[in-house]
C-alpha cells in the first residue's frame, strides 16, 4: 500500500496554531518550532512541515495533563 505523508504549508501551520505566518518565520530564523524543509532556493523557497514532525513537537511541548 502506498504511504501517505501529510505535509503542511507555513500558512496551514499558522492557522492550526492560531498565529501568524510571520511568527513562524521568526521562529525559523531563531531555530525554534518543528523541523521544516524548503522547496526551491533563496527567498522564493516554499516552506513545508511534515505533519508527523508538527505533532511530535506539539507532544514534546505540551504542558499539564497526564503523560
Amino acid at each position: 500500500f502506498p504511504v501517505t505523508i501529510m505535509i503542511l504549508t507555513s500558512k496551514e501551520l499558522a492557522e492550526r496554531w492560531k498565529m501568524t505566518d510571520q511568527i513562524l518565520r521568526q521562529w525559523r530564523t531563531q531555530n525554534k518550532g518543528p523541523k521544516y524543509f524548503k522547496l526551491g532556493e533563496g527567498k522564493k523557497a516554499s516552506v513545508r512541515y511534515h505533519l508527523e514532525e508538527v505533532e511530535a513537537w506539539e507532544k514534546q511541548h505540551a504542558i499539564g495533563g497526564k503523560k
Side-chain angles (χ1 to χ4, degrees):
F1 294 101
V3 176
T4 302
I5 298 173
M6 298 298 296
I7 295 176
L8 300 174
T9 65
S10 187
K11 182 180 177 183
E12 289 169 336
L13 181 56
E15 289 173 4
R16 177 184 176 104
W17 286 350
K18 309 284 191 272
M19 61 172 39
T20 66
D21 186 43
Q22 287 182 329
I23 292 173
L24 288 174
R25 192 175 304 125
Q26 288 175 352
W27 282 14
R28 290 191 298 270
T29 64
Q30 298 167 1
N31 293 317
K32 295 181 180 179
K35 293 179 184 177
Y36 65 93
F37 63 98
K38 289 185 175 184
L39 299 174
E41 295 182 19
K43 293 186 179 192
K44 298 279 185 183
S46 298
V47 173
R48 298 289 188 269
Y49 297 86
H50 286 284
L51 180 59
E52 188 175 281
E53 292 286 348
V54 170
E55 290 174 337
W57 192 90
E58 290 171 342
K59 283 182 182 181
Q60 185 179 6
H61 291 83
I63 299 172
K66 294 184 180 182
K67 291 187 178 185

